[in-house]
Amino acid sequence: MTKKRDLASVSPAETEVLRIVWERGEATVGEVVDTLPPERDITYATVQTLLRRLEKKGYLKHDTKGKAHVFSAAAQKEEVIARTVKDFLDRLFAGDAVPLVHHLARHGKIDAQDLERLKKLVDED
């Protein structure tokens, strides 16, 4: 498993590809291409490049099955999300989540039902 501090940031396109591999558990280049929404219009070669970059950054690994490279997670989704959210909070909100939640509520990204779910999470801890 790759150490969290070794992981470089990922681009939006890399994130989209990484999410597909996480959801599938493992995927070939062709399977990622087939999973992407048709309107994305990303070529096989571009997806292959994105997968290789993610592997080089430590997010993915691959095994060879026949002639195909099958990519799978080298970094767990929960670890990546936790690190990314912490970095985001630190950079934009000095580590304080309240202004972020306030922004999300003010701009319609969190509703009353979401707040109730958050309250239950806080009460569980």
Side-chain angles (χ1 to χ4, degrees), residues 30-85:
E31 290 169 339
V32 172
V33 170
D34 291 344
T35 304
L36 287 165
E39 63 272 8
R40 287 292 282 125
D41 196 30
I42 297 179
T43 67
Y44 184 97
T46 300
V47 171
Q48 187 173 36
T49 298
L50 293 169
L51 287 164
R52 289 288 184 202
R53 282 185 194 160
L54 287 164
E55 185 173 31
K56 186 176 180 181
K57 290 179 178 183
Y59 290 92
L60 297 178
K61 60 186 177 184
H62 82 272
D63 290 316
T64 304
K65 293 185 182 172
K67 293 183 180 181
H69 287 158
V70 180
F71 292 86
S72 60
Q76 296 303 310
K77 181 178 181 179
E78 295 77 19
E79 293 173 17
V80 175
I81 290 171
R83 183 186 64 87
T84 303
V85 170

Side-chain angles (χ1 to χ4, degrees), residues 1 35-36 50 60 67 73 75 97 103 107-108 113 121-122:
M1 191 63 56
T35 304
L36 287 165
L50 293 169
L60 297 178
K67 293 183 180 181
H103 172 82
H107 295 283
Q113 184 180 6
L121 284 173
V122 169

Side-chain angles (χ1 to χ4, degrees), residues 89 93 96-103:
L89 280 174
F93 299 99
D96 185 0
V98 173
L100 172 60
V101 174
H102 183 261
H103 172 82

